[in-house]
Amino acid sequence: MLLITCPYCGPRPELEFSHGGEAHIARPEKPSELSIEDWTQYLYLRANPKGLHAERWRHLHGCARFFNALRDTTTDQFVATYKAGEPRPTGGAA
Amino acid sequence: MQKFSALELFRQGLSGQSGWRPQWRNPEPKAAYDAVIIGGGGHGLGAAYYLAKQHGLRNIAVLEKGWLGGGNTGRNTTIIRSNYLFDESAALYDHALKLWEGLSQDLNYNVMFSQRGVLMLAHTVHDVQVFKRHVHANRANGVDNEWLSAEEAKAFCPPLNIQPNMRYPVLGGALQRRGGTARHDAVAWGYARAADALGVDIIENCEVTAIRRNAAGAVEAVETTRGVIKTPKIGVSAAGHTSVVLGMAGVRLPLESYPLQALVSEPIKPVFPCVVMSNTIHAYISQSDKGELVIGAGTDVYTSYTQRGGLHINQHTLEAICELFPMFRRMRMLRNWGGIVDVTPDRSPIIAKTSVPGLYVNCGWGTGGFKATPGAAHTLAWTIAKDEPHPINAPFTIERFRDGFLIDEAAAAAVAH
């Protein structure tokens, strides 16, 4: 089980969290003006990197707030967790 | 190929079983092939076999970064069934099931295919309605599936607990009698041996590191840890690593890779006659011919390439197993492991051409690819050889997401996700 550091509550076991998929995907301002390719990309295409991945988590059974994390998918190690709205941290391994 | 038969076994016995030869060669990669398959699991080896046998392509290679069948082929719970809801899925999975039924004879290799029946349990009124809908849809598609009451389910699988005081009591189940299990390693080895006999080069410890494309954008070579190999056609059967391989050619797919875990118990005498699945409380169980209970757990919630996952996922499944089969409560588990499964948004696979000429992909099988091994291999080989899909895999394109033709087994599915 992963130990995840909620930016609001501190380190908590994985069971308290739900996973929210890739982070930093903004809903298009004007969906009706999007090309079909861009809309497909927004709906279905997700980064699936072998390495550092920026993803959303929600501290469901805690403060219930969403936040983002940078995690290495080859080790499951968290490099950073940060509040929603903050930019993806630079640095970290690889 | 040294043909296996009772007579041959007897003959070898006379010389102390000393005359058996390796079942396939261990060749050095050639500088060029007519087609290259990336991924030496059942799907990839099978595709090579059907390419050689049915389409006459003999100058081909299977590249495997590790050892044969060391990925999800060797990590699944070997359940085979075809009782999917939608017409497209039923056609694809039943195509595979029909190939399973003749596979040992076709390959001259005992894949230990055992049609012991797959029983899917219903625990809620919703389950009952969904499963009955499945039963009717399957039968309309010529796929066997029948509804059993709780008592009939217990008669079919005596260890099953149908007491009404369970947290999730068994209200009945859908039984596919043609479903069952097969020996996973034998599937990879049988395809490898048969493909090798037709001239296919099977190259292990050979990881693809790049895909080269020509000025027109078509594939022309793969760079590997064992040198550059020229080829005009590449078929990718790389399961959880499909995104990584396709990324080498600049192709993005609607896939996310998750760990899926399984575990086996200590071996015991035969006590469990069939396969039982419960989507609602997440338990998948059968008994191997070696005697171990083979138990499938769910996926972890996060994407990962680690081939392991959280222990609480296994614990969750074991709690369900102990409730359904109280006689297993004191059994000890022997091993647990994870495999990386590539999941599509609609939980249906992709077997298709890509936007890159000469590049074909078989992926997105998610949590249920083993059952489809012969069907996936057969239709991928067809797609590579003819540069167009077989009618059975024609709906399973990448473009279905763009065009809104999802095959949404995620909502309908007979398996938990």
Side-chain angles (χ1 to χ4, degrees):
Chain A
M1 188 178 303
L2 304 179
L3 190 62
I4 303 174
T5 303
C6 169
Y8 303 97
C9 310
R12 299 292 180 90
E14 180 193 334
L15 281 179
E16 293 186 14
F17 297 84
S18 63
H19 188 257
E22 186 182 353
H24 305 299
I25 296 176
R27 184 176 171 84
E29 293 283 343
K30 294 176 180 167
S32 58
E33 292 173 15
L34 231 53
S35 71
I36 191 165
E37 274 73 25
D38 288 343
W39 185 243
T40 306
Q41 180 154 332
Y42 166 69
L43 278 185
Y44 295 119
L45 291 184
R46 295 291 176 266
N48 191 23
K50 190 174 182 179
L52 278 188
H53 186 38
E55 62 191 1
R56 296 191 307 169
W57 287 86
R58 187 181 178 207
H59 193 189
L60 184 65
H61 305 293
C63 64
R65 280 192 271 196
F66 278 96
F67 61 93
N68 294 329
L70 209 53
R71 184 176 53 90
D72 188 337
T73 62
T74 63
T75 61
D76 291 338
Q77 190 167 23
F78 285 88
V79 174
T81 54
Y82 51 104
K83 294 175 181 175
E86 292 177 359
R88 175 179 168 147
T90 52
Chain B
M1 185 170 81
Q2 215 171 3
K3 201 165 164 56
F4 294 145
S5 66
L7 181 65
E8 181 66 13
L9 189 63
F10 178 75
R11 227 170 51 83
Q12 294 290 347
L14 297 177
S15 61
Q17 307 291 351
S18 60
W20 297 109
R21 296 191 299 275
Q23 295 183 17
W24 54 86
R25 297 164 294 129
N26 183 22
E28 284 298 314
K30 288 193 254 180
Y33 290 98
D34 295 336
V36 161
I37 304 290
I38 301 174
H43 286 226
L45 292 164
Y49 169 68
Y50 292 115
L51 271 174
K53 187 186 176 202
Q54 299 188 337
H55 305 285
L57 258 71
R58 301 293 174 95
N59 182 33
I60 59 181
V62 178
L63 308 183
E64 164 56 47
K65 74 173 174 179
W67 63 95
L68 296 190
N72 293 349
T73 297
R75 292 166 188 268
N76 66 84
T77 52
T78 77
I79 299 172
I80 295 165
R81 60 186 180 86
S82 64
N83 51 352
Y84 283 72
L85 181 66
F86 293 111
D87 296 351
E88 297 89 343
S89 315
L92 178 60
Y93 289 100
D94 211 52
H95 177 55
L97 184 47
K98 286 171 185 157
L99 288 169
W100 277 115
E101 285 170 338
L103 195 60
S104 291
Q105 288 71 26
D106 186 26
L107 298 179
N108 179 235
Y109 206 100
N110 185 4
V111 299
M112 297 169 73
F113 179 50
S114 162
Q115 292 178 296
R116 59 186 68 179
V118 174
L119 177 63
M120 300 172 65
L121 299 177
H123 303 273
T124 64
V125 172
H126 174 75
D127 281 355
V128 172
Q129 291 169 345
V130 167
F131 284 4
K132 285 187 174 173
R133 183 183 176 207
H134 270 81
V135 167
H136 295 309
N138 289 156
R139 292 167 77 140
N141 274 319
V143 176
D144 74 304
N145 200 0
E146 61 194 274
W147 175 255
L148 301 187
S149 67
E151 291 72 25
E152 289 167 334
K154 174 141 181 94
F156 187 74
C157 181
L160 183 63
N161 177 13
I162 57 167
Q163 296 293 319
N165 62 354
M166 289 169 71
R167 174 66 183 84
Y168 295 99
V170 174
L171 302 183
L175 171 64
Q176 186 177 25
R177 291 183 193 271
R178 285 165 66 231
T181 59
R183 169 99 166 92
H184 49 7
D185 292 329
V187 177
W189 299 336
Y191 272 128
R193 172 171 168 270
D196 177 87
L198 294 170
V200 174
D201 279 0
I202 296 164
I203 300 160
E204 296 175 276
N205 300 310
C206 181
E207 182 172 358
V208 172
T209 53
I211 294 174
R212 286 190 191 170
R213 297 164 64 184
N214 63 20
V219 299
E220 64 173 10
V222 289
E223 295 176 21
T224 78
T225 49
R226 295 180 67 174
V228 177
I229 300 169
K230 284 190 158 181
T231 181
K233 290 189 171 190
I234 300 172
V236 179
S237 262
H241 278 72
T242 303
S243 297
V244 177
V245 177
L246 271 284
M248 296 172 189
V251 175
R252 286 189 76 189
L253 290 176
L255 294 174
E256 289 186 294
S257 296
Y258 291 91
L260 177 66
Q261 296 184 73
L263 57 162
V264 294
S265 73
E266 56 192 335
I268 51 173
K269 287 183 178 179
V271 292
F272 204 77
C274 59
V275 179
V276 172
M277 307 173 44
S278 170
N279 308 331
T280 302
I281 58 174
H282 257 246
Y284 309 84
I285 182 168
S286 63
Q287 186 174 19
S288 73
D289 293 323
K290 206 159 55 175
E292 303 154 326
L293 298 178
V294 182
I295 297 170
T299 54
D300 284 81
V301 298
Y302 48 83
T303 60
S304 179
Y305 287 84
T306 58
Q307 293 188 324
R308 60 173 187 261
L311 197 59
H312 60 288
I313 303 286
N314 295 324
Q315 187 180 344
H316 177 69
T317 289
L318 289 174
E319 284 166 1
I321 295 286
C322 289
E323 175 110 334
L324 286 174
F325 309 104
M327 66 191 249
F328 294 147
R329 277 186 181 162
R330 298 181 67 185
M331 285 200 51
R332 286 167 296 189
M333 293 299 127
L334 204 61
R335 290 177 286 125
N336 67 310
W337 63 90
I340 301 304
V341 300
D342 45 327
V343 176
T344 59
D346 62 359
R347 298 329 194 252
S348 284
I350 295 167
I351 314 167
K353 299 165 70 168
T354 68
S355 54
V356 173
L359 185 62
Y360 309 86
V361 69
N362 163 44
C363 66
W365 289 97
T367 57
F370 178 74
K371 66 173 79 71
T373 301
H378 176 259
T379 52
L380 175 63
W382 179 291
T383 307
I384 293 171
K386 301 192 184 288
D387 196 37
E388 61 182 50
H390 188 281
I392 289 175
N393 69 307
F396 295 88
T397 60
I398 303 168
E399 292 76 25
R400 73 175 186 264
F401 297 98
R402 181 194 67 195
D403 299 338
F405 291 107
L406 271 63
I407 303 163
D408 202 351
E409 295 289 347
V415 290
H417 297 293

